[in-house]
Amino acid sequence: MTKKNYTLSSLIIMAVIVLAACTSGGRSIPSEVPLVRTEEPVATIESRETEDSMETGEFIETEESMEMEAPAKGLACTVSLWHSLMENEMESLKEVAAAFQEMNPNVEFDFLYTPNSDIKSKFEAAAANGGGPSILIGSAEWGPAFYDALLVHDVSEFASDELLATINPAALGVVQYSDALVGLPLKLKGVLMFRNASLVPEAPTTFNELVEMAQAATSADVVGAYLEYGLFFSASHLHALGGALMDSDGNPTFNDEKGVEWVEMLKRFKEAGPVENNTDNDVNLFLEGRSGILIDGLWNAAHLAEAIGSENLVIDPWPSDMSGYVQTDNIYLNANLESYNLECSWAFMEYLLSPEGQMLFSDPDLAGNVPAIVGLKITEPIQQQAMTAFAGGIAFPVIPEMGAYWGPVNDALLAVVEGGADPAEALQTAHDAVVAAVAEIRVE
């Protein structure tokens, strides 16, 4: 699926993590995890989950386990978990579960793989009927709707300040909704700035430096930069300039002086080289080794490294006046959990965000994820560089109102960059259209 064919409203659906596997080139933003297999539970666990239980909403834990009181020492429960993880990610999950069991030998796990296309609706049906798994791993996009439907816990009542302080701030922003913490982020993904170090030897620290370096690297066969200004890839620059696309309620705030400054900067992208709006030409030229700087998603990093050589591929920290969206896959805690089973399941969910749990998920021989917590010493260069870049990223808005922005604001960017329209007038037109679209979303 190319950028041209990509439906913008689905941008935040789960993307294939880059280091998990090499995929075909292009600016693909996957709409769902590949359906690679049906996963078996951890070897030491007897699985009691079935498709029938998912359809009927029958709760996975037995009545006895739901009423279980805390043992005198250690945790004891069965943690059921539904997921759509890829095979290498599932291996990391098993490693984390095994490490947790070493400390809590009376805890068992039931893992059930369900295709990403089905898992959301199955969880909603089961949880609405008082059932479902203890924990769900899934898209950040689902969080607000789950919370509004009372299907997941607000985990802010459980999460300590110490735990929250370890989480990437932008990732934490993704799971914050309506004064609640609707889940925890398991891994990071999103928009980054890639550089071919053989063409552009140094990292730019400002946009002006980027333009200067790109111009210096440009020759007959090479462009110093080929920059993408489609809304998904450029909206975060507005935040880096001190503005904002929307307020916390989803109302537009881009129609101001900072918005004009943002659009004027996007116009200047052409000073660095060719520009793109949701096409694949920039990616393809970078893959050919003929472009020095590229704005693209983490999911393409493995293919970029294969094409130009891992020794040449660098993910730079964002220049001070630029940034990228940070997205997450989340861990959700079923709102039906009560008493000790809730405490036990939360303990495992918390362990998934511990340094030990996150290191296992970042193992390049297994999941190869970019950790959601800060401060880990990652040895794989691209993972470490991505983690550093995401530290300067912006939380991707997962609220329903985001759907109102894609068409109108991107049309404004096209009108200015390609059509020479006045930035203030284009933003006013987009603002009026977004206000109307937001109103329709809220009626629905």
Side-chain angles (χ1 to χ4, degrees):
M1 177 172 57
T2 65
K3 287 191 291 184
K4 283 185 177 179
N5 295 330
Y6 178 67
T7 303
L8 286 169
S9 63
S10 65
L11 273 165
I12 53 180
I13 299 176
M14 189 180 300
V16 176
I17 188 69
V18 57
L19 297 171
C22 289
T23 59
S24 59
R27 173 68 50 79
S28 295
I29 306 176
S31 60
E32 60 184 40
V33 173
L35 313 183
V36 294
R37 85 272 168 251
T38 298
E39 194 59 61
E40 296 296 329
V42 172
T44 60
I45 307 305
E46 179 183 356
S47 174
R48 291 173 289 110
E49 295 178 284
T50 66
E51 291 297 327
D52 290 339
S53 72
M54 295 179 72
E55 296 295 342
T56 62
E58 178 186 354
F59 204 81
I60 301 305
E61 283 75 18
T62 65
E63 183 176 348
E64 290 77 13
S65 69
M66 290 293 290
E67 296 178 352
M68 183 189 303
E69 294 184 359
K73 183 177 180 181
L75 298 171
C77 71
T78 295
V79 176
S80 56
L81 186 151
W82 293 358
H83 66 92
S84 298
L85 298 177
M86 298 177 67
E87 189 170 359
N88 54 347
E89 293 179 299
M90 187 58 204
E91 290 303 314
S92 283
L93 179 61
K94 289 179 179 179
E95 294 279 354
V96 176
F100 189 78
Q101 284 178 315
E102 288 185 7
M103 298 179 291
N104 302 280
N106 294 319
V107 174
E108 297 184 343
F109 292 91
D110 282 338
F111 295 146
L112 181 67
Y113 172 84
T114 304
N116 190 60
S117 57
D118 298 330
I119 192 169
K120 177 177 181 287
S121 60
K122 288 180 180 288
F123 175 79
E124 288 173 328
N129 285 305
S134 309
I135 292 172
L136 173 74
I137 294 177
S139 171
E141 181 186 33
W142 305 339
F146 285 166
Y147 180 74
D148 286 341
L150 306 179
L151 303 182
V152 296
H153 272 288
D154 172 7
V155 298
S156 62
E157 58 185 300
F158 314 122
S160 67
D161 291 340
E162 291 76 15
L163 171 63
L164 299 181
T166 67
I167 299 174
N168 172 288
L172 192 61
V174 175
V175 294
Q176 291 172 330
Y177 170 72
S178 191
D179 298 323
L181 199 65
V182 299
L184 293 178
L186 178 63
K187 66 179 181 181
L188 304 185
K189 53 191 179 184
V191 179
L192 299 163
M193 187 172 74
F194 297 91
R195 177 168 54 88
N196 185 332
S198 69
L199 302 179
V200 181
E202 301 294 331
T205 60
T206 66
F207 174 67
N208 284 336
E209 278 192 7
L210 188 157
V211 171
E212 293 171 2
M213 292 178 178
Q215 290 175 346
T218 298
S219 65
D221 297 324
V222 170
V223 297
Y226 202 153
L227 300 181
E228 166 67 60
Y229 70 93
L231 184 61
F232 174 70
F233 298 93
S234 70
S236 46
H237 304 324
L238 171 58
H239 293 260
L241 292 169
L245 188 68
M246 65 180 74
D247 63 22
S248 59
D249 295 321
N251 301 308
T253 56
F254 60 82
N255 189 26
D256 59 9
E257 291 181 358
K258 287 298 181 181
V260 172
E261 181 182 353
W262 167 54
V263 178
E264 291 284 6
M265 185 178 78
L266 298 184
K267 283 177 60 178
R268 292 189 57 210
F269 275 17
K270 289 184 176 181
E271 297 177 19
V275 297
E276 289 297 332
N277 186 289
N278 297 317
T279 69
D280 292 326
N281 297 328
D282 53 340
V283 178
N284 293 334
L285 199 67
F286 195 91
L287 290 169
E288 294 172 8
R290 297 172 52 214
S291 173
I293 296 175
L294 170 74
I295 296 173
D296 195 35
L298 174 63
W299 46 86
N300 271 337
H303 192 58
L304 298 176
E306 181 183 21
I308 70 171
S310 58
E311 70 280 6
N312 294 321
L313 184 68
V314 180
I315 297 174
D316 287 325
W318 283 103
S320 59
D321 43 2
M322 301 177 73
S323 188
Y325 272 141
V326 175
Q327 300 173 291
T328 66
D329 285 342
N330 290 349
I331 317 163
Y332 299 104
L333 190 64
N334 193 324
N336 294 312
L337 291 173
E338 296 179 354
S339 68
Y340 188 66
N341 201 57
L342 171 60
E343 178 186 349
C344 186
S345 298
W346 165 252
F348 179 66
M349 185 169 168
E350 190 175 30
Y351 187 72
L352 288 168
L353 267 289
S354 69
E356 296 80 9
Q358 287 285 287
M359 282 297 291
L360 288 169
F361 263 101
S362 68
D363 185 342
D365 293 327
L366 297 176
N369 289 341
V370 175
I373 64 174
V374 299
L376 289 186
K377 300 296 184 182
I378 304 299
T379 59
E380 204 287 321
I382 288 297
Q383 287 176 281
Q384 180 62 55
Q385 293 164 14
M387 187 167 67
T388 300
F390 283 140
I394 305 299
F396 183 84
V398 296
I399 59 177
E401 286 84 355
M402 186 62 186
Y405 287 76
W406 298 121
V409 183
N410 198 66
D411 287 347
L413 302 184
L414 283 166
V416 173
V417 177
E418 306 295 343
D422 177 75
E425 293 180 1
L427 289 179
Q428 182 64 56
T429 299
H431 175 272
D432 295 342
V434 168
V435 168
V438 165
E440 290 183 6
I441 289 173
R442 290 171 177 168
V443 169
E444 295 174 359

